[in-house]
Amino acid sequence: DSGVTQTPKHLITATGQRVTLRCSPRSGDLSVYWYQQSLDQGLQFLIQYYNGEERAKGNILERFSAQQFPDLHSELNLSSLELGDSALYFCASSVGRGGTEAFFGQGTRLTVV
Amino acid sequence: GEDVEQSLFLSVREGDSSVINCTYTDSSSTYLYWYKQEPGAGLQLLTYIFSNMDMKQDQRLTVLLNKKDKHLSLRIADTQTGDSAIYFCAGFSGNTGKLIFGQGTTLQVKP
């Protein structure tokens, strides 16, 4: 158990809908990272937050947004969902801004039908 | 730019050594990591190395870093069937603050 908690574990929704994925980092970790893992794209970095502020941005679509709350948990919002958004979404956390070990949650498997 | 590349597949026999290779392009990468992903599971951090190190050993795992060639390798000694998984190389860029992963190498261990 990495100490990073993601909910829900599985999510099935229809195209055009909006979902929210939640991540609770390890106790004491200030950074949260979001990744999308699909079969054809591998593990893609989406975005990172550090202590409530956006720290780094990757290949995150405009339809997607994220935030980190004062209690350090983070949410990834995915809207106007398309079939191609079906993937595993991972959250990771680390103590610092980066460069320290990042520990991953078990992921949320999103299926868009 | 930031890019991390790995070969996609490696097959070895149980008891042999496995060597998984990775190349990266970002010269500002300060930390380099190896993660393991078993089927249906999340990513487990195996080990990491700072960019000012050449080698790090941790039990059956040996990480070698050639900073000049931007080449990283993970050697698993006495590979076991339980080592079968996907292994990801990742680099943290001090410039961009991004943690970028390779495509992953599927390690198949035959009994």
Side-chain angles (χ1 to χ4, degrees):
Chain A
D1 182 7
S2 67
V4 179
T5 304
Q6 289 188 248
T7 56
K9 286 189 171 44
H10 301 277
L11 197 49
I12 301 176
T13 190
T15 53
Q17 295 298 304
R18 172 190 166 95
V19 297
T20 298
L21 312 184
R22 183 187 168 101
C23 170
S24 294
R26 291 188 321 155
S27 176
D29 283 359
L30 298 179
S31 273
V32 170
Y33 309 76
W34 285 99
Y35 288 86
Q36 179 193 57
Q37 186 179 35
S38 56
L39 282 173
D40 56 344
Q41 292 288 321
L43 200 63
Q44 296 288 314
F45 169 68
L46 296 178
I47 198 163
Q48 180 202 356
Y49 281 83
Y50 175 77
N51 204 20
E53 297 201 358
E54 185 182 302
R55 165 89 172 98
K57 207 165 187 174
N59 302 321
I60 188 166
L61 299 173
E62 286 191 13
R63 300 184 284 110
F64 296 0
S65 64
Q67 60 184 121
Q68 185 179 28
F69 293 87
D71 66 353
L72 301 176
H73 90 272
S74 178
E75 291 181 357
L76 179 66
N77 299 297
L78 315 176
S79 60
S80 302
L81 284 167
E82 301 174 0
L83 295 177
D85 297 327
S86 296
L88 259 175
Y89 290 84
F90 285 107
C91 164
S93 74
S94 67
V95 169
R97 287 183 179 85
T100 52
E101 300 100 303
F103 294 88
F104 279 73
Q106 293 297 302
T108 293
R109 182 170 293 281
L110 173 67
T111 303
V112 182
V113 296
Chain B
E2 311 128 353
D3 199 14
V4 178
E5 293 197 358
Q6 303 176 235
S7 52
L8 294 181
F9 187 77
L10 175 66
S11 181
V12 300
R13 293 224 169 264
E14 194 173 17
D16 288 350
S17 291
S18 306
V19 179
I20 301 171
N21 294 301
C22 168
T23 57
Y24 60 97
T25 58
D26 189 346
S27 57
S28 73
S29 294
T30 51
Y31 294 76
L32 295 139
Y33 305 86
W34 285 103
Y35 283 84
K36 176 183 179 184
Q37 185 179 31
E38 296 184 50
L43 277 76
Q44 174 195 355
L45 177 64
L46 287 178
T47 187
Y48 65 94
I49 189 167
F50 300 131
S51 59
N52 62 359
M53 297 169 66
D54 299 322
M55 186 181 89
K56 182 178 179 181
Q57 188 153 1
D58 184 0
Q59 300 182 341
R60 291 190 298 122
L61 305 179
T62 303
V63 179
L64 294 178
L65 175 60
N66 181 328
K67 197 174 177 183
K68 175 174 166 288
D69 294 339
K70 299 191 185 72
H71 181 267
L72 182 74
S73 67
L74 174 69
R75 179 176 179 270
I76 305 173
D78 186 25
T79 314
Q80 303 297 306
T81 53
D83 295 324
S84 293
I86 303 175
Y87 290 81
F88 290 92
C89 162
F92 172 74
S93 168
N95 284 347
T96 65
K98 295 179 185 178
L99 180 61
I100 302 296
F101 284 76
Q103 312 95 303
T105 299
T106 298
L107 175 64
Q108 178 190 63
V109 183
K110 296 179 182 176

